[in-house]
Short mmCIF file of all heavy atoms in Angstrom, two decimals:
data_model
loop_
_atom_site.label_atom_id
_atom_site.label_comp_id
_atom_site.label_asym_id
_atom_site.label_seq_id
_atom_site.Cartn_x
_atom_site.Cartn_y
_atom_site.Cartn_z
N ARG H 1 -5.67 17.50 -13.53
CA ARG H 1 -4.93 17.22 -14.76
C ARG H 1 -5.18 15.82 -15.30
O ARG H 1 -4.67 15.47 -16.37
CB ARG H 1 -3.43 17.44 -14.53
CG ARG H 1 -3.08 18.82 -13.96
CD ARG H 1 -1.59 19.03 -13.82
NE ARG H 1 -0.96 19.30 -15.10
CZ ARG H 1 -0.83 20.51 -15.64
NH1 ARG H 1 -1.28 21.58 -14.99
NH2 ARG H 1 -0.24 20.67 -16.80
N GLY H 2 -5.95 15.02 -14.57
CA GLY H 2 -6.30 13.68 -15.04
C GLY H 2 -5.14 12.72 -15.11
O GLY H 2 -5.15 11.78 -15.91
N VAL H 3 -4.11 12.94 -14.27
CA VAL H 3 -2.92 12.09 -14.30
C VAL H 3 -3.07 10.95 -13.29
O VAL H 3 -3.43 11.17 -12.13
CB VAL H 3 -1.66 12.92 -13.97
CG1 VAL H 3 -0.42 12.03 -13.93
CG2 VAL H 3 -1.48 14.05 -14.99
N THR H 4 -2.80 9.73 -13.73
CA THR H 4 -2.75 8.58 -12.83
C THR H 4 -1.39 8.58 -12.13
O THR H 4 -0.37 8.85 -12.76
CB THR H 4 -2.93 7.27 -13.63
OG1 THR H 4 -4.15 7.36 -14.39
CG2 THR H 4 -3.01 6.07 -12.71
N VAL H 5 -1.38 8.29 -10.84
CA VAL H 5 -0.13 8.40 -10.05
C VAL H 5 0.19 7.07 -9.37
O VAL H 5 -0.68 6.48 -8.70
CB VAL H 5 -0.24 9.50 -8.98
CG1 VAL H 5 1.05 9.58 -8.16
CG2 VAL H 5 -0.54 10.86 -9.62
N LEU H 6 1.41 6.60 -9.56
CA LEU H 6 1.93 5.48 -8.78
C LEU H 6 2.96 6.04 -7.81
O LEU H 6 3.97 6.61 -8.22
CB LEU H 6 2.57 4.41 -9.68
CG LEU H 6 3.16 3.20 -8.93
CD1 LEU H 6 2.08 2.47 -8.14
CD2 LEU H 6 3.84 2.23 -9.90
N LEU H 7 2.68 5.87 -6.52
CA LEU H 7 3.46 6.51 -5.47
C LEU H 7 4.21 5.45 -4.66
O LEU H 7 3.59 4.62 -4.00
CB LEU H 7 2.48 7.29 -4.57
CG LEU H 7 3.00 7.94 -3.30
CD1 LEU H 7 3.91 9.13 -3.65
CD2 LEU H 7 1.82 8.42 -2.45
N VAL H 8 5.53 5.49 -4.73
CA VAL H 8 6.35 4.66 -3.85
C VAL H 8 6.78 5.54 -2.68
O VAL H 8 7.42 6.58 -2.88
CB VAL H 8 7.59 4.11 -4.57
CG1 VAL H 8 8.57 3.52 -3.57
CG2 VAL H 8 7.20 3.04 -5.57
N GLU H 9 6.43 5.14 -1.48
CA GLU H 9 6.66 6.04 -0.34
C GLU H 9 6.73 5.26 0.97
O GLU H 9 5.96 4.33 1.20
CB GLU H 9 5.51 7.07 -0.28
CG GLU H 9 5.66 8.12 0.79
CD GLU H 9 6.99 8.83 0.73
OE1 GLU H 9 7.26 9.53 -0.26
OE2 GLU H 9 7.78 8.66 1.68
N HIS H 10 7.70 5.66 1.83
CA HIS H 10 7.82 5.06 3.15
C HIS H 10 6.88 5.72 4.16
O HIS H 10 6.56 5.13 5.19
CB HIS H 10 9.26 5.19 3.67
CG HIS H 10 10.19 4.15 3.13
ND1 HIS H 10 11.13 4.42 2.16
CD2 HIS H 10 10.31 2.83 3.41
CE1 HIS H 10 11.79 3.31 1.87
NE2 HIS H 10 11.32 2.34 2.62
N HIS H 11 6.46 6.94 3.87
CA HIS H 11 5.62 7.68 4.81
C HIS H 11 4.18 7.15 4.72
O HIS H 11 3.42 7.54 3.85
CB HIS H 11 5.67 9.18 4.50
CG HIS H 11 5.20 10.02 5.64
ND1 HIS H 11 3.87 10.09 6.01
CD2 HIS H 11 5.88 10.82 6.51
CE1 HIS H 11 3.75 10.91 7.04
NE2 HIS H 11 4.95 11.35 7.36
N MET H 12 3.83 6.26 5.64
CA MET H 12 2.54 5.57 5.57
C MET H 12 1.37 6.54 5.72
O MET H 12 0.30 6.34 5.13
CB MET H 12 2.45 4.49 6.63
CG MET H 12 3.32 3.28 6.38
SD MET H 12 2.90 2.44 4.84
CE MET H 12 4.14 3.09 3.75
N GLY H 13 1.56 7.60 6.52
CA GLY H 13 0.48 8.56 6.69
C GLY H 13 0.08 9.20 5.38
O GLY H 13 -1.11 9.35 5.08
N LEU H 14 1.08 9.56 4.56
CA LEU H 14 0.81 10.17 3.26
C LEU H 14 0.13 9.17 2.33
O LEU H 14 -0.89 9.47 1.71
CB LEU H 14 2.11 10.67 2.63
CG LEU H 14 2.00 11.22 1.20
CD1 LEU H 14 1.12 12.47 1.17
CD2 LEU H 14 3.39 11.51 0.63
N VAL H 15 0.69 7.96 2.25
CA VAL H 15 0.15 6.95 1.34
C VAL H 15 -1.31 6.65 1.68
O VAL H 15 -2.18 6.63 0.79
CB VAL H 15 0.98 5.65 1.41
CG1 VAL H 15 0.32 4.54 0.59
CG2 VAL H 15 2.39 5.89 0.90
N MET H 16 -1.58 6.42 2.94
CA MET H 16 -2.92 6.01 3.33
C MET H 16 -3.94 7.14 3.25
O MET H 16 -5.14 6.90 3.13
CB MET H 16 -2.89 5.41 4.75
CG MET H 16 -2.06 4.15 4.87
SD MET H 16 -2.60 2.84 3.71
CE MET H 16 -1.33 1.59 3.96
N SER H 17 -3.47 8.38 3.30
CA SER H 17 -4.41 9.50 3.28
C SER H 17 -4.83 9.90 1.86
O SER H 17 -5.89 10.50 1.68
CB SER H 17 -3.81 10.72 3.99
OG SER H 17 -2.68 11.22 3.28
N ILE H 18 -4.03 9.56 0.86
CA ILE H 18 -4.35 10.04 -0.50
C ILE H 18 -4.55 8.91 -1.52
O ILE H 18 -5.06 9.18 -2.61
CB ILE H 18 -3.28 11.01 -1.03
CG1 ILE H 18 -1.95 10.28 -1.30
CG2 ILE H 18 -3.09 12.19 -0.10
CD1 ILE H 18 -0.91 11.16 -2.00
N SER H 19 -4.20 7.68 -1.20
CA SER H 19 -4.25 6.61 -2.20
C SER H 19 -5.66 6.05 -2.36
O SER H 19 -6.40 5.89 -1.39
CB SER H 19 -3.31 5.46 -1.81
OG SER H 19 -1.97 5.88 -1.81
N ASP H 20 -6.03 5.77 -3.61
CA ASP H 20 -7.28 5.09 -3.90
C ASP H 20 -7.13 3.58 -3.76
O ASP H 20 -8.11 2.87 -3.54
CB ASP H 20 -7.73 5.42 -5.33
CG ASP H 20 -7.93 6.90 -5.55
OD1 ASP H 20 -8.82 7.48 -4.88
OD2 ASP H 20 -7.19 7.49 -6.36
N LYS H 21 -5.89 3.13 -3.91
CA LYS H 21 -5.59 1.70 -3.86
C LYS H 21 -4.14 1.56 -3.39
O LYS H 21 -3.31 2.44 -3.66
CB LYS H 21 -5.75 1.09 -5.26
CG LYS H 21 -5.33 -0.36 -5.41
CD LYS H 21 -5.56 -0.83 -6.85
CE LYS H 21 -5.11 -2.25 -7.08
NZ LYS H 21 -5.37 -2.70 -8.46
N VAL H 22 -3.85 0.48 -2.68
CA VAL H 22 -2.48 0.25 -2.19
C VAL H 22 -2.05 -1.17 -2.55
O VAL H 22 -2.84 -2.12 -2.47
CB VAL H 22 -2.40 0.44 -0.66
CG1 VAL H 22 -0.98 0.13 -0.15
CG2 VAL H 22 -2.78 1.87 -0.27
N VAL H 23 -0.79 -1.29 -2.99
CA VAL H 23 -0.18 -2.59 -3.26
C VAL H 23 1.02 -2.72 -2.32
O VAL H 23 1.85 -1.81 -2.24
CB VAL H 23 0.30 -2.69 -4.73
CG1 VAL H 23 1.03 -4.02 -4.95
CG2 VAL H 23 -0.88 -2.55 -5.68
N ALA H 24 1.09 -3.82 -1.60
CA ALA H 24 2.20 -4.06 -0.67
C ALA H 24 3.05 -5.23 -1.16
O ALA H 24 2.51 -6.26 -1.57
CB ALA H 24 1.67 -4.36 0.73
N ILE H 25 4.37 -5.04 -1.14
CA ILE H 25 5.27 -6.12 -1.50
C ILE H 25 6.30 -6.33 -0.40
O ILE H 25 6.60 -5.41 0.38
CB ILE H 25 5.98 -5.88 -2.86
CG1 ILE H 25 6.85 -4.62 -2.82
CG2 ILE H 25 4.97 -5.77 -3.99
CD1 ILE H 25 7.64 -4.41 -4.10
N ASP H 26 6.82 -7.53 -0.31
CA ASP H 26 7.84 -7.86 0.67
C ASP H 26 8.68 -9.01 0.12
O ASP H 26 8.14 -9.97 -0.44
CB ASP H 26 7.18 -8.28 2.00
CG ASP H 26 8.19 -8.40 3.13
OD1 ASP H 26 9.23 -7.70 3.07
OD2 ASP H 26 7.94 -9.18 4.07
N PHE H 27 9.99 -8.89 0.24
CA PHE H 27 10.92 -9.89 -0.31
C PHE H 27 10.61 -10.19 -1.78
O PHE H 27 10.68 -11.34 -2.21
CB PHE H 27 10.90 -11.18 0.52
CG PHE H 27 11.45 -11.01 1.91
CD1 PHE H 27 10.61 -11.07 3.01
CD2 PHE H 27 12.80 -10.78 2.11
CE1 PHE H 27 11.11 -10.92 4.29
CE2 PHE H 27 13.32 -10.61 3.39
CZ PHE H 27 12.47 -10.68 4.48
N GLY H 28 10.22 -9.15 -2.53
CA GLY H 28 9.99 -9.30 -3.95
C GLY H 28 8.65 -9.89 -4.35
O GLY H 28 8.38 -10.07 -5.54
N ARG H 29 7.79 -10.20 -3.37
CA ARG H 29 6.48 -10.77 -3.67
C ARG H 29 5.36 -9.80 -3.27
O ARG H 29 5.49 -9.09 -2.27
CB ARG H 29 6.26 -12.07 -2.89
CG ARG H 29 7.21 -13.20 -3.22
CD ARG H 29 6.82 -14.45 -2.43
NE ARG H 29 6.83 -14.18 -0.98
CZ ARG H 29 5.74 -14.05 -0.23
NH1 ARG H 29 4.53 -14.14 -0.77
NH2 ARG H 29 5.85 -13.82 1.06
N LYS H 30 4.29 -9.81 -4.02
CA LYS H 30 3.12 -9.04 -3.61
C LYS H 30 2.44 -9.79 -2.47
O LYS H 30 2.15 -10.98 -2.57
CB LYS H 30 2.13 -8.87 -4.77
CG LYS H 30 0.93 -7.98 -4.40
CD LYS H 30 -0.06 -7.88 -5.54
CE LYS H 30 -0.92 -9.14 -5.64
NZ LYS H 30 -1.96 -9.03 -6.67
N ILE H 31 2.20 -9.07 -1.37
CA ILE H 31 1.56 -9.71 -0.22
C ILE H 31 0.16 -9.17 0.03
O ILE H 31 -0.61 -9.79 0.78
CB ILE H 31 2.41 -9.56 1.06
CG1 ILE H 31 2.68 -8.08 1.38
CG2 ILE H 31 3.71 -10.34 0.93
CD1 ILE H 31 3.38 -7.86 2.72
N SER H 32 -0.19 -8.04 -0.59
CA SER H 32 -1.53 -7.50 -0.39
C SER H 32 -1.84 -6.48 -1.48
O SER H 32 -0.94 -5.81 -2.00
CB SER H 32 -1.66 -6.85 0.99
OG SER H 32 -2.99 -6.47 1.26
N GLU H 33 -3.13 -6.35 -1.80
CA GLU H 33 -3.59 -5.37 -2.79
C GLU H 33 -5.04 -5.05 -2.48
O GLU H 33 -5.86 -5.95 -2.28
CB GLU H 33 -3.47 -5.93 -4.21
CG GLU H 33 -3.99 -5.01 -5.30
CD GLU H 33 -3.82 -5.61 -6.70
OE1 GLU H 33 -3.35 -6.75 -6.80
OE2 GLU H 33 -4.16 -4.92 -7.68
N GLY H 34 -5.38 -3.76 -2.39
CA GLY H 34 -6.76 -3.40 -2.10
C GLY H 34 -6.88 -1.97 -1.64
O GLY H 34 -6.01 -1.13 -1.90
N THR H 35 -7.96 -1.67 -0.94
CA THR H 35 -8.15 -0.33 -0.39
C THR H 35 -7.16 -0.09 0.74
O THR H 35 -6.54 -1.05 1.25
CB THR H 35 -9.57 -0.16 0.15
OG1 THR H 35 -9.76 -1.04 1.27
CG2 THR H 35 -10.61 -0.48 -0.93
N THR H 36 -7.03 1.15 1.15
CA THR H 36 -6.10 1.47 2.25
C THR H 36 -6.47 0.69 3.51
O THR H 36 -5.60 0.16 4.20
CB THR H 36 -6.11 2.97 2.55
OG1 THR H 36 -7.45 3.41 2.82
CG2 THR H 36 -5.57 3.77 1.37
N GLU H 37 -7.75 0.60 3.79
CA GLU H 37 -8.20 -0.12 5.00
C GLU H 37 -7.89 -1.60 4.90
O GLU H 37 -7.41 -2.22 5.88
CB GLU H 37 -9.71 0.09 5.20
CG GLU H 37 -10.23 -0.53 6.49
CD GLU H 37 -11.71 -0.24 6.73
OE1 GLU H 37 -12.32 0.41 5.86
OE2 GLU H 37 -12.24 -0.67 7.77
N GLU H 38 -8.14 -2.19 3.74
CA GLU H 38 -7.88 -3.62 3.56
C GLU H 38 -6.40 -3.94 3.74
O GLU H 38 -6.04 -4.93 4.40
CB GLU H 38 -8.35 -4.06 2.18
CG GLU H 38 -9.86 -4.12 2.02
CD GLU H 38 -10.31 -4.29 0.58
OE1 GLU H 38 -9.49 -4.04 -0.35
OE2 GLU H 38 -11.48 -4.66 0.36
N VAL H 39 -5.54 -3.11 3.16
CA VAL H 39 -4.11 -3.37 3.23
C VAL H 39 -3.57 -3.12 4.64
O VAL H 39 -2.75 -3.89 5.16
CB VAL H 39 -3.35 -2.52 2.19
CG1 VAL H 39 -1.84 -2.62 2.39
CG2 VAL H 39 -3.74 -2.97 0.78
N GLN H 40 -4.04 -2.05 5.28
CA GLN H 40 -3.59 -1.75 6.64
C GLN H 40 -3.91 -2.88 7.61
O GLN H 40 -3.15 -3.13 8.56
CB GLN H 40 -4.26 -0.47 7.14
CG GLN H 40 -3.60 0.82 6.66
CD GLN H 40 -4.34 2.03 7.18
OE1 GLN H 40 -5.54 2.18 7.01
NE2 GLN H 40 -3.61 2.93 7.83
N ASN H 41 -5.03 -3.55 7.39
CA ASN H 41 -5.48 -4.60 8.31
C ASN H 41 -5.09 -6.01 7.87
O ASN H 41 -5.45 -6.98 8.54
CB ASN H 41 -7.01 -4.53 8.47
CG ASN H 41 -7.46 -3.25 9.15
OD1 ASN H 41 -6.80 -2.78 10.08
ND2 ASN H 41 -8.56 -2.66 8.68
N ASP H 42 -4.35 -6.12 6.79
CA ASP H 42 -3.93 -7.42 6.28
C ASP H 42 -2.84 -8.00 7.19
O ASP H 42 -1.81 -7.36 7.42
CB ASP H 42 -3.40 -7.28 4.85
CG ASP H 42 -3.19 -8.62 4.17
OD1 ASP H 42 -2.63 -9.54 4.80
OD2 ASP H 42 -3.56 -8.75 2.99
N PRO H 43 -3.03 -9.20 7.74
CA PRO H 43 -2.03 -9.80 8.62
C PRO H 43 -0.65 -9.90 7.99
O PRO H 43 0.38 -9.77 8.68
CB PRO H 43 -2.61 -11.18 8.92
CG PRO H 43 -4.08 -11.03 8.74
CD PRO H 43 -4.23 -10.05 7.62
N GLU H 44 -0.60 -10.15 6.67
CA GLU H 44 0.70 -10.27 5.99
C GLU H 44 1.43 -8.93 5.99
O GLU H 44 2.66 -8.89 6.12
CB GLU H 44 0.50 -10.76 4.56
CG GLU H 44 0.14 -12.22 4.44
CD GLU H 44 1.29 -13.12 4.89
OE1 GLU H 44 2.45 -12.85 4.52
OE2 GLU H 44 1.02 -14.10 5.61
N VAL H 45 0.71 -7.85 5.85
CA VAL H 45 1.32 -6.51 5.87
C VAL H 45 1.80 -6.18 7.27
O VAL H 45 2.92 -5.66 7.47
CB VAL H 45 0.33 -5.45 5.34
CG1 VAL H 45 0.92 -4.05 5.48
CG2 VAL H 45 -0.06 -5.74 3.91
N ILE H 46 0.97 -6.47 8.26
CA ILE H 46 1.36 -6.21 9.64
C ILE H 46 2.61 -7.01 10.00
O ILE H 46 3.55 -6.50 10.62
CB ILE H 46 0.19 -6.59 10.60
CG1 ILE H 46 -1.01 -5.68 10.33
CG2 ILE H 46 0.63 -6.50 12.05
CD1 ILE H 46 -2.29 -6.11 11.04
N LYS H 47 2.66 -8.24 9.55
CA LYS H 47 3.83 -9.09 9.81
C LYS H 47 5.08 -8.54 9.13
O LYS H 47 6.17 -8.53 9.72
CB LYS H 47 3.55 -10.51 9.32
CG LYS H 47 4.68 -11.50 9.56
CD LYS H 47 4.31 -12.89 9.07
CE LYS H 47 5.44 -13.88 9.29
NZ LYS H 47 5.09 -15.23 8.79
N ALA H 48 4.93 -8.05 7.89
CA ALA H 48 6.08 -7.52 7.16
C ALA H 48 6.68 -6.31 7.84
O ALA H 48 7.91 -6.13 7.87
CB ALA H 48 5.65 -7.17 5.72
#
């Protein structure tokens, strides 16, 4: 259908399996943005 999707989700398995890009925020700030692999391995995300 050519629809762009922004997905807010706690289920990390779902997010990481279907997302083309991931944005991570914590305490109201963006802490990471990139591919699923980049965000999963970001120390700031792991810390959060």
Side-chain angles (χ1 to χ4, degrees):
R1 307 183 76 89
V3 177
T4 305
V5 179
L6 179 60
L7 174 69
V8 168
E9 184 53 66
H10 278 106
H11 198 288
M12 288 299 99
L14 175 64
V15 174
M16 296 304 174
S17 66
I18 68 172
S19 296
D20 300 297
K21 173 180 178 178
V22 178
V23 176
I25 62 176
D26 190 28
F27 293 110
R29 297 183 302 106
K30 184 183 78 176
I31 57 173
S32 188
E33 177 179 2
T35 65
T36 56
E37 185 176 2
E38 288 169 342
V39 172
Q40 279 179 306
N41 294 321
D42 191 315
E44 286 294 316
V45 175
I46 296 170
K47 181 179 179 181

